[in-house]
Amino acid sequence: MRVLLLGADGFIGRRVTDRLLMDQELQVTVLGRRDSADIRFDLTTGSPGALARFLDAVAPQVVINCAGATYGSSRTLIRSNTLAVATVCEAIRRSREPARLVHVGSAAEYGPVPGGVPVSEQAEPRPVGPYGVSKLAGTELVLASGLDAAVLRVFDVVGPGAPTASLFGRLAEGLRRALERDENQVRMPDLSGYRDFVDVRDVARAIQAAAVSAATGVINVGSGHAVRARDAAQLLVRASGFEGAIVEENRQVLLPAQVGGQGGDHLAGHGHQSGQYLPGHRPEGRPAPGEPVPWRQADVRTARDRLGWRTQVPLEESLGDVWLETACRV
């Protein structure tokens, strides 16, 4: 099967690339802006006609779109998450043999949802910030395109390679710095929210499964469990061996690092797009992707039933790998 991959250099895209290249049944071509791409093309500025000519040359049976932006100005988000998707859809329609499209969406498209309840694909999306709005617009373009297409609405992605602007990327860097400088505090945003954390390697497996399936429409990709961010953070703290305190800046609450992490029943039992920032996390100089959302948990029955997919990487292992990668970075 010939596969054209977009966004191979991103957090999720890198893992998808690794996963696809291990499959001897797949012939993978990478399209992107960097020199490492097989085809150089900028989805935010290139025309559908030009992209269609590349599609005709490669003749992919599946196009996987992991491209997009998780932060930046509203203009940047719209160009990367909406305009680029419109270009992809139109190019596939114009190509001689329209390919199947697997598009990576985001749980931020749902916006605030009732606490304590898993959100299903039938929920009415109500995004509250420019990131969620731009991602939802991209999803709607895919669904209205008339193509053979699936949108994987990915929840809060964790694991090795997490960007430093993400919650656990920031925490891992803070822990490393504190240990190196013998500091006894690490400052973080409010960690009271509940999130559905899913390992990036499990997300890559879901994308591969969608690529070779006949499933269409929106499919949630998450662990199916909500974990308080504070409890998840303690798993990373314990992996680092840090014995100081975590200060939640927006709450002004001092939490001993060795306390907590006992309230999540599913912490060791399962495996954002990272970039699903938590309340109060606003990377320096960059607008946050959305407004605070206290609760997020995926209903994952569709992924189980239509893709045969379940998570495999426990959250504790995922965060341990985040720390291992950070600690070993030169």
Side-chain angles (χ1 to χ4, degrees):
M1 177 182 286
R2 294 180 301 278
V3 177
L4 181 65
L5 177 61
L6 317 177
D9 293 319
F11 176 36
I12 293 176
R14 288 194 298 272
R15 292 295 175 179
V16 172
T17 303
D18 294 343
R19 184 85 194 174
L20 297 181
L21 291 177
M22 289 191 300
D23 190 336
Q24 299 299 316
E25 301 297 317
L26 302 179
Q27 178 183 325
V28 182
T29 301
V30 172
L31 180 146
R33 291 180 293 185
R34 299 194 180 184
D35 292 337
S36 57
D38 299 311
I39 300 172
R40 290 285 302 279
F41 190 86
D42 189 338
L43 293 172
T44 64
T45 59
S47 71
L51 181 56
R53 288 192 288 274
F54 284 125
L55 290 173
D56 287 339
V58 175
Q61 289 146 300
V62 179
V63 174
I64 298 176
N65 184 26
C66 296
T70 53
Y71 54 77
S73 66
S74 296
R75 185 172 184 269
T76 295
L77 293 169
I78 291 170
R79 289 175 67 87
S80 301
N81 299 332
T82 307
L83 177 61
V85 178
T87 297
V88 171
C89 291
E90 181 61 22
I92 294 175
R93 278 198 298 264
R94 294 187 190 184
S95 63
R96 285 194 294 266
E97 298 182 14
R100 171 172 170 77
L101 174 61
V102 175
H103 175 69
V104 177
S106 170
E109 297 171 33
Y110 287 120
V113 295
V117 179
V119 60
S120 75
E121 293 87 353
Q122 286 70 46
E124 184 71 24
R126 300 180 188 277
V128 290
Y131 171 71
V133 169
S134 67
K135 289 296 290 184
L136 177 60
T139 290
E140 294 295 340
L141 285 169
V142 172
L143 297 179
S145 67
L147 299 172
D148 173 11
V151 176
L152 302 191
R153 202 164 262 165
V154 179
F155 279 65
D156 297 82
V157 188
V158 297
T164 55
S166 68
L167 177 73
F168 294 117
R170 172 178 172 174
L171 177 56
E173 289 295 334
L175 291 168
R176 173 176 167 164
R177 185 168 54 249
L179 290 167
E180 289 175 344
R181 300 177 182 178
D182 197 27
E183 297 173 346
N184 62 4
Q185 287 186 4
V186 174
R187 294 186 174 275
M188 289 296 293
D190 180 7
L191 300 172
S192 63
Y194 285 81
R195 291 291 181 271
D196 188 325
F197 298 111
V198 57
D199 188 88
V200 65
R201 292 159 291 193
D202 281 330
V203 173
R205 286 178 44 250
I207 292 170
Q208 181 185 28
V212 300
S213 79
T216 59
V218 175
I219 303 173
N220 285 341
V221 174
S223 69
H225 303 294
V227 176
R228 190 184 290 271
R230 185 176 303 126
D231 295 337
Q234 294 304 322
L235 294 176
L236 183 52
V237 170
R238 286 202 294 273
S240 74
F242 179 66
E243 296 181 351
I246 304 300
V247 178
E248 295 182 44
E249 293 175 333
N250 288 0
R251 288 168 54 87
Q252 297 300 315
V253 174
L254 194 65
L255 297 175
Q258 59 268 40
V259 175
Q262 304 302 313
D265 294 337
H266 307 289
L267 289 179
H270 67 286
H272 123 30
Q273 150 177 50
S274 193
Q276 307 303 310
Y277 303 96
L278 283 131
H281 183 199
R282 194 174 293 266
E284 187 121 4
R286 300 164 179 166
E291 298 303 317
V293 176
W295 172 272
R296 190 148 61 207
Q297 178 184 351
D299 181 331
V300 294
R301 288 175 293 181
T302 301
R304 180 193 63 201
D305 296 342
R306 300 179 67 185
L307 302 181
W309 175 87
R310 289 178 172 81
T311 57
Q312 294 181 353
V313 183
L315 182 56
E316 187 170 9
E317 178 182 339
S318 185
L319 293 174
D321 289 344
V322 171
W323 173 249
L324 183 63
E325 181 184 67
T326 302
C328 293
R329 189 178 300 134
V330 177

